[in-house]
């Protein structure tokens, strides 16, 4: 499967997740790398005085970024192949206030076993070298021989 045919499938996967759709998350693919994009909307503001993105929105964005990366790498970009990874534990480090602009995310799988993967994700806005938040999480992978309802 070529890289060009992977993108529509991973984007379909993101749009199939109601919360990701509500948040306004999309996928930008360049070759074999994916970047998640959180499109700004007024409903994402948590502190209207600053204004700043809600911390829960940033956390959900990083979790979705990690899940998208795992789904992309382990399903070959095919939506639903192997099922979505399930978070076991996720730690978010909030580094800066999220401004009311588009936010970008990338994740790297740092360790992968047969059933569990460890992922590091970062979110940034104008400058990738200045992330607004980072996440470290463990995710349960669905084995190919497991029934879909597990």
């Amino acid at each position: 499967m070529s890289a060009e045919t992977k993108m529509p499938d991973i984007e379909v996967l993101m749009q199939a997740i109601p919360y990701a759709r509500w948040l306004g998350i999309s996928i930008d693919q360049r070759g074999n790398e994916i970047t998640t994009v959180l499109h700004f909307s007024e409903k994402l503001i948590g502190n209207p005085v600053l204004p700043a993105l809600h911390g829960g929105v940033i956390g959900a964005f990083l979790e979705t970024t990690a899940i998208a990366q795992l789904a992309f790498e382990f399903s070959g970009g095919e939506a639903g192949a192997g099922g979505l990874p399930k978070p076991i534990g996720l730690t978010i480090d909030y580094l800066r206030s999220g401004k009311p602009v588009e936010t970008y995310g990338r994740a790297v799988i740092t360790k992968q076993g047969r059933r569990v993967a460890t992922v590091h994700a970062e979110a940034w806005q104008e400058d990738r070298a200045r992330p607004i938040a980072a996440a470290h999480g463990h995710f349960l992978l669905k084995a190919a021989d497991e029934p879909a309802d597990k």
Side-chain angles (χ1 to χ4, degrees), residues 18-97:
Y19 193 56
R21 199 171 53 240
W22 185 84
L23 287 173
I25 297 173
S26 65
I27 304 286
D28 180 30
Q29 180 184 358
R30 309 287 167 124
N32 64 352
E33 288 186 337
I34 63 169
T35 301
T36 53
V37 182
L38 175 65
H39 301 280
F40 176 72
S41 171
E42 289 292 327
K43 67 185 177 188
L44 305 179
I45 294 293
N47 184 341
V49 174
L50 291 178
L53 294 176
H54 191 283
V57 168
I58 295 170
F61 175 62
L62 285 169
E63 179 180 345
T64 303
T65 299
I67 289 170
Q69 186 67 43
L70 287 165
F72 181 74
E73 289 198 27
F74 293 119
S75 69
E78 296 174 18
L84 286 176
K86 294 179 177 34
I88 297 170
L90 188 69
T91 302
I92 309 288
D93 295 324
Y94 296 96
L95 307 171
R96 299 179 172 72
S97 292

Side-chain angles (χ1 to χ4, degrees), residues 10 32-34 62-77 85 105-122 128 135-141:
I10 199 73
N32 64 352
E33 288 186 337
I34 63 169
L62 285 169
E63 179 180 345
T64 303
T65 299
I67 289 170
Q69 186 67 43
L70 287 165
F72 181 74
E73 289 198 27
F74 293 119
S75 69
R106 283 238 176 117
V108 175
I109 300 168
T110 56
K111 185 175 180 188
Q112 184 243 320
R114 286 180 358 131
R115 298 186 53 93
V116 176
T118 303
V119 180
H120 176 78
E122 288 186 346
R128 186 168 180 197
H136 182 79
H138 297 77
F139 294 82
L140 181 64
L141 306 172

